[in-house]
Coordinates of all heavy atoms in Angstrom, one line a residue:
M1 N 0.8 -1.2 0.0 CA 0.0 0.0 -0.1 C 0.9 1.3 0.0 O 1.9 1.3 0.7 CB -0.9 0.1 1.3 CG -1.9 -1.0 1.2 SD -3.4 -0.1 1.5 CE -4.6 -1.1 1.1
S2 N 0.4 2.3 -0.8 CA 1.2 3.5 -0.7 C 0.6 4.4 0.3 O -0.5 4.4 0.7 CB 1.2 4.1 -2.1 OG -0.1 4.5 -2.3
N3 N 1.5 5.3 0.9 CA 1.1 6.3 1.8 C 0.7 7.5 1.1 O 0.7 8.6 1.8 CB 2.3 6.6 2.7 CG 2.6 5.4 3.5 OD1 1.7 4.6 3.7 ND2 3.9 5.3 4.0
E4 N 0.3 7.5 -0.2 CA -0.1 8.6 -0.9 C -1.5 9.0 -0.5 O -2.4 8.3 -0.4 CB -0.2 8.3 -2.4 CG 0.3 9.3 -3.3 CD 0.2 8.8 -4.8 OE1 0.9 7.8 -5.1 OE2 -0.6 9.4 -5.5
R5 N -1.6 10.3 -0.1 CA -3.0 10.8 0.3 C -3.6 11.6 -1.0 O -3.1 12.2 -1.7 CB -2.8 11.8 1.5 CG -2.5 11.2 2.6 CD -2.6 12.1 3.8 NE -2.1 11.5 5.0 CZ -2.1 12.0 6.2 NH1 -2.3 13.4 6.4 NH2 -1.6 11.4 7.2
K6 N -5.0 11.3 -1.1 CA -5.7 12.0 -2.1 C -5.9 13.5 -1.8 O -6.1 13.8 -0.6 CB -7.1 11.5 -2.4 CG -6.8 10.0 -3.0 CD -8.2 9.5 -3.2 CE -8.0 8.1 -4.0 NZ -9.2 7.4 -4.2
N7 N -5.8 14.3 -2.8 CA -6.2 15.7 -2.5 C -7.6 15.9 -2.2 O -8.5 15.6 -3.0 CB -5.7 16.5 -3.8 CG -5.7 18.0 -3.5 OD1 -6.2 18.5 -2.5 ND2 -5.2 18.8 -4.4
P8 N -7.9 16.5 -0.9 CA -9.3 16.5 -0.6 C -10.2 17.6 -1.4 O -11.3 17.5 -1.5 CB -9.4 17.0 0.8 CG -8.0 17.6 1.1 CD -7.0 16.8 0.0
R9 N -9.4 18.5 -2.1 CA -10.2 19.5 -2.9 C -10.6 18.9 -4.3 O -11.5 19.4 -4.9 CB -9.2 20.7 -3.2 CG -9.0 21.5 -1.8 CD -8.2 22.8 -2.2 NE -7.2 22.5 -3.0 CZ -6.4 23.5 -3.6 NH1 -6.7 24.8 -3.3 NH2 -5.5 23.2 -4.4
L10 N -9.9 18.0 -4.7 CA -10.3 17.3 -6.0 C -11.2 16.2 -5.8 O -10.9 15.2 -5.2 CB -9.1 16.8 -6.7 CG -8.0 17.9 -7.2 CD1 -7.0 17.2 -7.8 CD2 -8.6 18.9 -8.1
T11 N -12.4 16.4 -6.2 CA -13.5 15.3 -6.1 C -13.7 14.5 -7.4 O -13.6 15.2 -8.5 CB -14.8 15.9 -5.5 OG1 -15.2 16.8 -6.6 CG2 -14.7 16.5 -4.3
P12 N -13.8 13.3 -7.3 CA -14.1 12.6 -8.7 C -15.3 13.1 -9.4 O -16.3 13.5 -8.7 CB -14.2 11.2 -8.3 CG -14.5 11.2 -6.8 CD -14.0 12.4 -6.2
L13 N -15.3 13.1 -10.8 CA -16.5 13.5 -11.5 C -17.5 12.4 -11.3 O -17.5 11.3 -11.9 CB -16.1 13.8 -12.9 CG -17.2 14.2 -13.8 CD1 -17.7 15.7 -13.2 CD2 -16.8 14.4 -15.2
S14 N -18.6 12.6 -10.5 CA -19.7 11.8 -10.4 C -21.0 12.3 -11.1 O -20.9 13.5 -11.4 CB -20.0 11.4 -8.9 OG -20.5 12.7 -8.3
R15 N -22.0 11.5 -11.3 CA -23.2 12.1 -11.9 C -23.8 13.2 -11.0 O -24.3 14.3 -11.5 CB -24.1 10.9 -12.0 CG -25.5 11.3 -12.6 CD -26.2 10.1 -12.7 NE -27.6 10.4 -13.4 CZ -28.7 9.8 -13.3 NH1 -28.6 8.6 -12.7 NH2 -29.8 10.2 -13.9
R16 N -23.7 13.1 -9.7 CA -24.3 14.1 -8.8 C -23.4 15.5 -9.0 O -24.0 16.5 -9.2 CB -24.2 13.6 -7.4 CG -24.7 14.8 -6.4 CD -24.7 14.1 -5.1 NE -25.6 12.9 -5.0 CZ -26.5 12.7 -4.1 NH1 -26.6 13.4 -3.0 NH2 -27.2 11.6 -4.1
N17 N -22.2 15.4 -9.1 CA -21.3 16.7 -9.1 C -21.6 17.2 -10.5 O -21.6 18.4 -10.8 CB -19.9 16.3 -8.9 CG -19.5 16.0 -7.5 OD1 -20.3 16.4 -6.6 ND2 -18.5 15.3 -7.3
L18 N -21.7 16.3 -11.6 CA -21.9 17.0 -12.9 C -23.2 17.5 -12.9 O -23.4 18.7 -13.6 CB -22.0 15.8 -13.9 CG -22.3 16.1 -15.3 CD1 -21.0 17.0 -15.8 CD2 -22.4 14.9 -16.2
L19 N -24.4 17.0 -12.4 CA -25.6 17.7 -12.4 C -25.6 19.1 -11.6 O -26.4 19.9 -12.0 CB -26.7 16.6 -11.9 CG -27.0 15.5 -12.8 CD1 -28.0 14.5 -12.2 CD2 -27.5 16.0 -14.2
K20 N -24.9 19.0 -10.5 CA -24.9 20.3 -9.7 C -24.2 21.3 -10.6 O -24.7 22.4 -10.4 CB -24.1 20.0 -8.5 CG -24.9 19.4 -7.3 CD -24.2 19.4 -6.0 CE -23.0 18.5 -5.8 NZ -22.4 18.5 -4.5
G21 N -23.2 20.9 -11.2 CA -22.5 22.0 -12.0 C -23.4 22.5 -13.1 O -23.3 23.7 -13.6
M22 N -24.1 21.5 -13.8 CA -24.9 21.9 -14.9 C -26.1 22.8 -14.4 O -26.6 23.7 -15.0 CB -25.4 20.7 -15.6 CG -24.4 19.9 -16.4 SD -25.0 18.4 -17.1 CE -26.3 18.8 -18.2
A23 N -26.6 22.6 -13.2 CA -27.7 23.4 -12.6 C -27.2 24.9 -12.3 O -28.0 25.8 -12.2 CB -28.3 22.7 -11.4
A24 N -26.0 25.0 -12.0 CA -25.4 26.2 -11.7 C -25.2 27.2 -12.9 O -25.2 28.4 -12.8 CB -24.0 26.1 -11.0
I25 N -25.2 26.7 -14.1 CA -24.9 27.5 -15.3 C -26.2 28.3 -15.5 O -26.0 29.6 -15.5 CB -24.6 26.5 -16.5 CG1 -23.2 25.9 -16.2 CG2 -24.6 27.4 -17.8 CD1 -23.0 24.9 -17.4
P26 N -27.4 27.9 -15.6 CA -28.5 28.7 -15.8 C -28.7 29.7 -14.5 O -29.2 30.9 -14.8 CB -29.7 27.8 -16.0 CG -29.2 26.5 -16.2 CD -27.8 26.5 -15.6
A27 N -28.4 29.2 -13.3 CA -28.6 30.1 -12.2 C -27.6 31.3 -12.3 O -28.0 32.3 -11.9 CB -28.4 29.2 -10.9
A28 N -26.5 31.1 -12.8 CA -25.5 32.2 -13.0 C -26.1 33.3 -13.9 O -25.9 34.4 -13.8 CB -24.2 31.7 -13.4
G29 N -26.9 32.7 -15.0 CA -27.4 33.7 -15.8 C -28.4 34.7 -15.3 O -28.7 35.7 -15.8
L30 N -29.0 34.2 -14.1 CA -30.0 35.1 -13.5 C -29.3 36.2 -12.8 O -29.9 37.3 -12.4 CB -30.8 34.3 -12.5 CG -31.7 33.2 -13.2 CD1 -32.4 32.4 -11.9 CD2 -32.8 33.8 -13.9
L31 N -28.1 36.1 -12.5 CA -27.3 37.1 -11.7 C -26.8 38.2 -12.6 O -26.4 39.3 -12.2 CB -26.1 36.4 -10.9 CG -26.6 35.4 -9.9 CD1 -25.3 34.7 -9.3 CD2 -27.5 36.0 -8.8
L32 N -26.6 37.9 -13.9 CA -26.1 38.9 -14.8 C -27.1 40.1 -15.1 O -28.4 39.7 -15.1 CB -25.8 38.2 -16.1 CG -24.7 37.1 -16.1 CD1 -24.6 36.5 -17.5 CD2 -23.4 37.7 -15.7
P33 N -26.6 41.2 -15.3 CA -27.6 42.3 -15.5 C -28.2 42.3 -16.8 O -27.6 41.7 -17.7 CB -26.7 43.7 -15.4 CG -25.3 43.1 -15.8 CD -25.2 41.7 -15.3
R34 N -29.4 42.8 -17.0 CA -30.2 42.7 -18.2 C -29.8 43.8 -19.0 O -29.6 45.0 -18.5 CB -31.7 42.8 -17.9 CG -32.2 41.6 -17.1 CD -32.4 40.3 -17.8 NE -32.8 39.4 -16.9 CZ -32.5 38.1 -17.2 NH1 -31.7 37.8 -18.1 NH2 -32.9 37.2 -16.3
T35 N -29.7 43.6 -20.4 CA -29.1 44.8 -21.2 C -30.3 45.4 -21.8 O -30.1 46.6 -22.5 CB -28.3 44.0 -22.3 OG1 -29.1 43.1 -23.1 CG2 -27.2 43.3 -21.8
G36 N -31.5 44.8 -21.8 CA -32.7 45.7 -22.4 C -32.7 45.6 -23.8 O -33.1 46.4 -24.6
F37 N -32.1 44.6 -24.4 CA -32.0 44.3 -25.8 C -33.4 44.0 -26.4 O -34.2 43.2 -25.9 CB -31.1 43.1 -26.2 CG -31.2 42.6 -27.6 CD1 -30.4 43.4 -28.5 CD2 -31.8 41.6 -28.1 CE1 -30.4 43.1 -29.8 CE2 -31.8 41.2 -29.3 CZ -31.1 41.9 -30.3
A38 N -33.8 44.8 -27.4 CA -35.1 44.7 -28.1 C -34.8 44.1 -29.5 O -33.9 44.4 -30.2 CB -35.7 46.0 -28.2
A39 N -35.6 43.1 -29.7 CA -35.5 42.4 -31.1 C -36.0 43.3 -32.3 O -36.9 44.0 -32.0 CB -36.2 41.0 -31.1
P40 N -35.3 43.3 -33.3 CA -35.7 43.9 -34.5 C -37.1 43.4 -35.1 O -37.4 42.4 -34.8 CB -34.6 44.0 -35.5 CG -34.0 42.7 -35.1 CD -34.1 42.5 -33.5
P41 N -37.8 44.3 -35.8 CA -38.9 43.8 -36.3 C -38.7 42.7 -37.4 O -37.6 42.5 -38.0 CB -39.6 45.0 -37.2 CG -38.6 46.0 -37.0 CD -37.5 45.7 -36.0
T42 N -39.5 41.7 -37.6 CA -39.4 40.6 -38.4 C -39.0 40.9 -39.8 O -38.2 40.3 -40.4 CB -40.6 39.7 -38.3 OG1 -40.9 39.3 -37.0 CG2 -40.3 38.4 -39.0
A43 N -39.7 42.0 -40.4 CA -39.3 42.4 -41.6 C -37.9 42.8 -41.9 O -37.2 42.7 -42.9 CB -40.2 43.6 -42.0
A44 N -37.3 43.3 -40.8 CA -35.8 43.7 -40.9 C -34.9 42.5 -41.0 O -33.8 42.6 -41.6 CB -35.4 44.6 -39.8
V45 N -35.3 41.4 -40.3 CA -34.5 40.1 -40.2 C -34.8 39.3 -41.4 O -33.9 38.7 -42.0 CB -34.8 39.5 -38.9 CG1 -33.9 38.3 -38.8 CG2 -34.4 40.5 -37.7
N46 N -36.0 39.1 -41.7 CA -36.4 38.1 -42.8 C -36.3 38.8 -44.0 O -37.3 39.4 -44.5 CB -37.9 37.6 -42.5 CG -38.1 36.5 -43.3 OD1 -37.4 36.0 -44.2 ND2 -39.5 36.1 -43.4
T47 N -35.2 38.7 -44.8 CA -35.1 39.2 -46.2 C -35.6 38.3 -47.2 O -35.8 38.7 -48.4 CB -33.6 39.6 -46.4 OG1 -32.9 38.4 -46.4 CG2 -33.2 40.7 -45.4
T48 N -35.9 37.0 -47.0 CA -36.4 36.1 -48.1 C -37.7 36.2 -48.4 O -38.3 35.9 -49.4 CB -35.9 34.7 -47.6 OG1 -36.5 34.4 -46.5 CG2 -34.5 34.5 -47.5
G49 N -38.7 36.6 -47.2 CA -40.0 36.6 -47.4 C -40.7 35.2 -47.6 O -41.7 35.1 -48.0
L50 N -40.1 34.1 -46.9 CA -40.7 32.9 -47.2 C -41.7 32.4 -46.1 O -42.8 32.2 -46.4 CB -39.5 31.9 -47.2 CG -38.6 32.0 -48.4 CD1 -37.5 30.9 -48.4 CD2 -39.4 31.7 -49.8
A51 N -41.2 32.3 -44.9 CA -42.2 31.8 -43.9 C -42.9 32.7 -43.0 O -44.0 32.5 -42.5 CB -41.4 30.7 -43.1
V52 N -42.1 33.8 -42.5 CA -42.6 34.6 -41.4 C -42.6 36.1 -41.9 O -41.5 36.5 -42.3 CB -41.7 34.5 -40.1 CG1 -42.2 35.3 -38.9 CG2 -41.7 33.0 -39.8
T53 N -43.7 36.8 -41.6 CA -43.7 38.2 -41.8 C -44.2 38.8 -40.5 O -44.5 38.1 -39.5 CB -44.6 38.5 -43.0 OG1 -45.9 38.3 -42.7 CG2 -44.1 38.0 -44.3
D54 N -44.5 40.1 -40.3 CA -45.0 40.8 -39.3 C -46.4 40.4 -39.1 O -47.0 40.5 -37.9 CB -44.8 42.3 -39.3 CG -43.3 42.7 -39.1 OD1 -42.7 42.0 -38.5 OD2 -43.0 43.7 -39.6
S55 N -47.2 40.0 -40.0 CA -48.5 39.8 -39.9 C -49.1 38.3 -40.2 O -50.2 37.9 -39.9 CB -49.4 40.6 -40.9 OG -49.0 40.4 -42.2
A56 N -48.1 37.5 -40.8 CA -48.5 36.0 -41.2 C -47.2 35.1 -41.0 O -46.1 35.4 -41.0 CB -48.9 36.0 -42.6
V57 N -47.7 33.9 -40.6 CA -46.6 32.7 -40.4 C -47.2 31.7 -41.4 O -48.3 31.2 -41.2 CB -46.6 32.3 -39.0 CG1 -45.7 31.1 -38.9 CG2 -46.1 33.4 -38.1
K58 N -46.4 31.1 -42.2 CA -46.8 30.0 -43.1 C -46.3 28.7 -42.3 O -45.3 28.5 -41.8 CB -46.0 30.0 -44.5 CG -46.5 31.1 -45.4 CD -45.7 31.1 -46.7 CE -46.0 32.3 -47.6 NZ -45.2 32.3 -48.7
V59 N -47.3 27.7 -42.3 CA -47.1 26.5 -41.5 C -47.3 25.4 -42.5 O -48.3 25.4 -43.2 CB -48.1 26.4 -40.3 CG1 -47.9 25.1 -39.5 CG2 -48.0 27.7 -39.4
G60 N -46.4 24.3 -42.4 CA -46.6 23.2 -43.1 C -46.8 22.0 -42.3 O -46.6 21.9 -41.1
I61 N -47.7 21.0 -42.8 CA -48.1 19.8 -41.9 C -47.3 18.6 -42.7 O -47.6 18.3 -43.8 CB -49.5 19.5 -41.9 CG1 -50.2 20.8 -41.1 CG2 -49.8 18.3 -41.2 CD1 -51.7 20.7 -41.1
L62 N -46.6 17.9 -42.0 CA -45.8 16.7 -42.5 C -46.5 15.4 -42.2 O -45.9 14.7 -41.4 CB -44.4 16.8 -42.2 CG -43.4 17.8 -42.8 CD1 -42.1 17.9 -42.2 CD2 -43.4 17.7 -44.2
H63 N -47.7 15.2 -42.6 CA -48.3 13.9 -42.4 C -49.0 13.5 -43.7 O -49.3 14.3 -44.6 CB -49.5 14.1 -41.3 CG -49.0 14.3 -40.0 ND1 -48.3 13.3 -39.3 CD2 -48.9 15.4 -39.2 CE1 -47.9 13.8 -38.1 NE2 -48.3 15.1 -38.1
S64 N -49.0 12.3 -43.9 CA -49.7 11.7 -45.1 C -51.2 11.9 -45.3 O -51.9 11.8 -44.3 CB -49.4 10.2 -45.3 OG -48.1 10.1 -45.3
I65 N -51.6 12.6 -46.4 CA -53.0 12.7 -46.4 C -53.7 11.8 -47.6 O -54.7 11.8 -47.9 CB -53.4 14.1 -46.8 CG1 -52.7 14.7 -48.0 CG2 -53.1 15.1 -45.5 CD1 -53.2 16.2 -48.4
S66 N -52.7 11.0 -48.2 CA -53.1 10.0 -49.1 C -52.2 8.9 -48.9 O -51.2 8.9 -48.4 CB -53.0 10.6 -50.6 OG -51.8 10.8 -50.9
G67 N -52.7 7.7 -49.5 CA -51.9 6.5 -49.4 C -52.3 5.7 -48.1 O -53.3 6.0 -47.4
T68 N -51.5 4.7 -47.8 CA -51.8 3.9 -46.7 C -51.6 4.3 -45.4 O -52.3 4.0 -44.5 CB -50.8 2.6 -46.9 OG1 -49.5 2.9 -46.7 CG2 -51.1 1.7 -48.2
M69 N -50.8 5.4 -45.2 CA -50.6 5.9 -43.9 C -51.5 7.1 -43.8 O -51.7 7.5 -42.5 CB -49.2 6.6 -43.9 CG -48.1 5.6 -43.9 SD -48.1 4.5 -42.5 CE -47.9 5.5 -41.1
A70 N -52.4 7.4 -44.6 CA -53.3 8.5 -44.4 C -54.4 8.0 -43.4 O -54.9 9.0 -42.5 CB -54.1 8.8 -45.7
I71 N -54.7 6.8 -43.3 CA -55.8 6.3 -42.3 C -55.3 6.6 -40.8 O -56.0 7.2 -39.9 CB -56.1 4.9 -42.5 CG1 -56.7 4.7 -43.8 CG2 -57.0 4.4 -41.4 CD1 -56.8 3.3 -44.4
S72 N -54.0 6.3 -40.6 CA -53.5 6.4 -39.2 C -53.1 7.8 -38.9 O -53.0 8.3 -37.7 CB -52.3 5.5 -39.0 OG -51.3 5.8 -39.9
E73 N -52.9 8.7 -39.9 CA -52.4 10.0 -39.5 C -53.5 11.0 -39.9 O -53.3 12.3 -39.6 CB -51.2 10.4 -40.6 CG -50.0 9.6 -40.2 CD -48.8 9.9 -41.0 OE1 -48.9 10.7 -42.0 OE2 -47.7 9.4 -40.8
A74 N -54.8 10.7 -40.0 CA -55.8 11.6 -40.4 C -56.1 12.3 -39.0 O -56.4 13.6 -39.0 CB -57.1 10.9 -40.8
G75 N -56.1 11.7 -37.8 CA -56.3 12.5 -36.6 C -55.2 13.5 -36.4 O -55.5 14.6 -35.8
S76 N -54.0 13.2 -36.7 CA -52.9 14.2 -36.4 C -53.1 15.3 -37.4 O -52.8 16.5 -36.8 CB -51.5 13.4 -36.8 OG -51.4 12.5 -35.9
V77 N -53.3 15.2 -38.6 CA -53.7 16.3 -39.4 C -54.8 17.2 -38.9 O -54.7 18.5 -38.9 CB -54.0 15.7 -40.9 CG1 -54.3 16.8 -41.9 CG2 -52.8 15.1 -41.5
E78 N -55.9 16.5 -38.6 CA -57.1 17.3 -38.1 C -56.7 18.0 -36.8 O -57.0 19.3 -36.6 CB -58.3 16.4 -37.8 CG -58.9 15.9 -39.0 CD -59.3 17.0 -40.0 OE1 -59.9 17.9 -39.6 OE2 -59.0 16.8 -41.2
A79 N -55.9 17.4 -35.9 CA -55.5 18.0 -34.7 C -54.6 19.3 -34.9 O -54.7 20.4 -34.2 CB -54.8 17.1 -33.8
E80 N -53.7 19.2 -35.8 CA -52.8 20.2 -36.2 C -53.6 21.4 -36.8 O -53.3 22.6 -36.5 CB -51.6 19.8 -37.1 CG -50.7 18.9 -36.3 CD -49.6 18.4 -37.2 OE1 -49.2 19.1 -38.3 OE2 -48.9 17.5 -36.7
K81 N -54.5 21.1 -37.7 CA -55.4 22.1 -38.4 C -56.1 22.8 -37.3 O -56.3 24.2 -37.3 CB -56.3 21.6 -39.4 CG -55.5 21.1 -40.7 CD -56.5 20.5 -41.7 CE -55.9 20.2 -42.9 NZ -56.8 19.6 -43.9
L82 N -56.8 22.1 -36.2 CA -57.4 22.8 -35.2 C -56.6 23.7 -34.4 O -56.9 24.8 -34.0 CB -58.1 21.6 -34.3 CG -58.7 22.2 -33.1 CD1 -60.1 23.0 -33.6 CD2 -59.3 21.1 -32.3
A83 N -55.3 23.1 -34.1 CA -54.3 24.0 -33.2 C -54.0 25.2 -33.9 O -54.0 26.4 -33.4 CB -53.2 23.2 -32.9
I84 N -53.7 25.1 -35.2 CA -53.4 26.3 -36.1 C -54.5 27.3 -36.2 O -54.3 28.6 -36.1 CB -53.0 25.9 -37.4 CG1 -51.7 25.1 -37.3 CG2 -52.8 27.1 -38.4 CD1 -51.2 24.4 -38.6
A85 N -55.8 26.8 -36.3 CA -56.9 27.6 -36.3 C -57.2 28.4 -35.0 O -57.7 29.6 -35.0 CB -58.2 26.9 -36.7
Q86 N -56.9 27.8 -34.0 CA -57.1 28.3 -32.6 C -56.1 29.4 -32.2 O -56.4 30.3 -31.6 CB -57.0 27.3 -31.5 CG -58.3 26.4 -31.5 CD -58.2 25.5 -30.4 OE1 -57.2 25.3 -29.7 NE2 -59.4 24.9 -30.3
I87 N -54.9 29.3 -32.9 CA -53.8 30.4 -32.8 C -54.2 31.6 -33.5 O -54.2 32.6 -33.1 CB -52.4 29.7 -33.0 CG1 -52.0 28.7 -32.2 CG2 -51.4 30.9 -33.1 CD1 -50.9 27.9 -32.6

């Protein structure tokens, strides 16, 4: 046996220590001062004019509406259309 002593300040990387460190990162963000950054209008950022404007958002649904999968995905399509209509 060696008479070597472990450094008490160095702890092995355990799951608990890793999770404590990861939890401290967002908490540190709460201590930083707010800069008051305001986002620019969408028209200034979106120069392509494809999906988002200041007054409209284009939404696509990626579910089959024809073919063999249409039977099982019909409920998903209707649910998404309902959610979009409610927004």
